[in-house]
Amino acid sequence: MERGNLSVWGAMQYRSDTGQFEALDDQIATEYALTVKLDGEEFATIVCSPTHLRELVYGFLASEGMIREAAQVKRLHIDEDSGYVYAELTGQPSVAREKVSKRFIGSCCGKSRQFYFHNDMMTARTIMTRRTLTPEQCISFMEQLQKSSSDFHNSGGVHNAALAEGDGLLAVMTDVGRHNALDKLYGHCLLHQIGTANKAIVFSGRMSSEVVLKAAKMGCGIVLSKSAPTDLALRLAHDLGITCVGFIRGRQFTVYTHAERIVINHSLP
């Protein structure tokens, strides 16, 4: 049985109107360490929220280049009490394990296309989608994400990632780590055979270079966020063909890259 994303912690709250402390039970984001053993060898430890762990592992393995589809995982057993997950692949990993953690910096396909790891170079791909969104869709998707996030409203300590299509959200994942939330979303798509090519990612956190790389690995050409981007994220997004929309708050937002996908007249293809 999965634990929840939140736990209760006894605390003291100071109130300026009374000048006193009051006892309260505060809801805090749960942080959980999950160690992945791949084909009998320790592969990685992920600090995460203890929900949708199966989706997290599949998405993480795909993001790291170990698998390209769910069928490549032969067996998967999660021992929540010990904090271990045991995964066995059907054959050799899609990317050699010794290359997963090796740093790689290159300038292919653009002077700013810097990849942190060799597997990023192998798995991130340039996005060619012609999918477009209207400003109203961008705003509506972010409003839907915020309304769906009771754990965030109750704790303020988690991130959310969603996949959007048409006028609604297809799936929403929550985690204490913003990258984990994206991996859970990726894993959900793999397990349910949901295509991502013409869909958008709606995200609660800052758009870092890692976020852009994960979007490229998923094949999503539009990332919508209520927060700010980093400069490396935007350079990567420019070269990888990803539209980055940030600061979606109220009725305003900022389009940083590939603005042609955000159109006022949505009659265009």
Side-chain angles (χ1 to χ4, degrees):
M1 182 178 180
E2 282 193 338
R3 300 169 171 84
N5 288 321
L6 306 181
S7 58
V8 177
W9 189 271
M12 300 295 292
Q13 183 182 64
Y14 176 76
R15 295 179 60 91
S16 60
D17 56 344
T18 64
Q20 302 291 327
F21 282 98
E22 294 183 4
L24 82 158
D25 289 331
D26 202 7
Q27 295 194 69
I28 305 296
T30 302
E31 198 168 17
Y32 176 81
L34 181 69
T35 298
V36 179
K37 296 198 74 172
L38 186 62
D39 292 332
E41 296 182 11
E42 190 168 306
F43 181 65
T45 295
I46 310 169
V47 178
C48 59
S49 294
T51 56
H52 295 103
L53 296 178
R54 187 166 178 260
E55 288 86 348
L56 173 61
V57 174
Y58 273 84
F60 176 75
L61 291 176
S63 184
E64 292 299 309
M66 293 294 100
I67 63 172
R68 291 192 176 94
E69 56 186 25
Q72 288 180 265
V73 178
K74 183 178 181 180
R75 293 188 185 88
L76 185 74
H77 172 68
I78 300 173
D79 186 339
E80 291 190 38
D81 292 333
S82 67
Y84 274 86
V85 57
Y86 303 90
E88 182 180 346
L89 303 185
T90 56
Q92 292 297 315
S94 297
V95 172
R97 296 183 204 197
E98 63 269 17
K99 295 180 179 179
V100 169
S101 60
K102 287 190 176 179
R103 190 171 179 82
F104 183 92
I105 300 176
S107 58
C108 57
C109 304
K111 294 181 180 179
S112 301
R113 192 165 178 171
Q114 298 174 9
F115 293 100
Y116 291 134
F117 297 111
H118 187 278
N119 61 308
D120 291 333
M121 180 193 69
M122 299 294 292
T123 57
R125 57 188 185 273
T126 301
I127 307 301
M128 306 298 292
T129 181
R130 298 182 68 193
R131 171 70 192 273
T132 61
L133 295 177
T134 65
E136 287 301 321
Q137 284 177 305
C138 295
I139 293 168
S140 174
F141 287 150
M142 187 56 62
E143 289 175 345
Q144 292 178 55
L145 182 70
Q146 292 177 322
K147 288 178 181 177
S148 71
S149 180
S150 60
D151 285 341
F152 175 79
H153 291 301
N154 290 331
S155 71
V158 295
H159 286 285
N160 299 283
L163 194 69
E165 182 181 45
D167 292 319
L169 304 182
L170 298 179
V172 180
M173 292 292 162
T174 299
D175 200 275
V176 70
R178 62 180 184 269
H179 306 126
N180 295 338
L182 285 167
D183 281 342
K184 287 180 179 180
L185 190 64
Y186 195 1
H188 176 84
C189 293
L190 290 173
L191 288 166
H192 296 278
Q193 297 183 335
I194 299 172
T196 57
N198 291 307
K199 299 176 179 62
I201 291 174
V202 192
F203 193 53
S204 66
R206 177 171 53 88
M207 288 185 289
S208 66
S209 58
E210 289 180 85
V211 169
V212 168
L213 285 170
K214 286 183 183 293
K217 293 172 185 182
M218 290 177 67
C220 291
I222 302 176
V223 179
L224 310 175
S225 174
K226 72 173 185 178
S227 298
T230 66
D231 64 337
L232 178 55
L234 296 183
R235 293 199 301 270
L236 283 167
H238 174 78
D239 290 333
L240 290 167
I242 294 174
T243 299
C244 284
V245 182
F247 291 111
I248 306 177
R249 300 174 183 180
R251 305 294 300 172
Q252 299 183 43
F253 57 78
T254 303
V255 185
Y256 293 94
T257 55
H258 295 280
E260 68 275 5
R261 294 200 185 104
I262 310 301
V263 296
I264 294 176
N265 182 358
H266 210 179
S267 62
L268 297 175

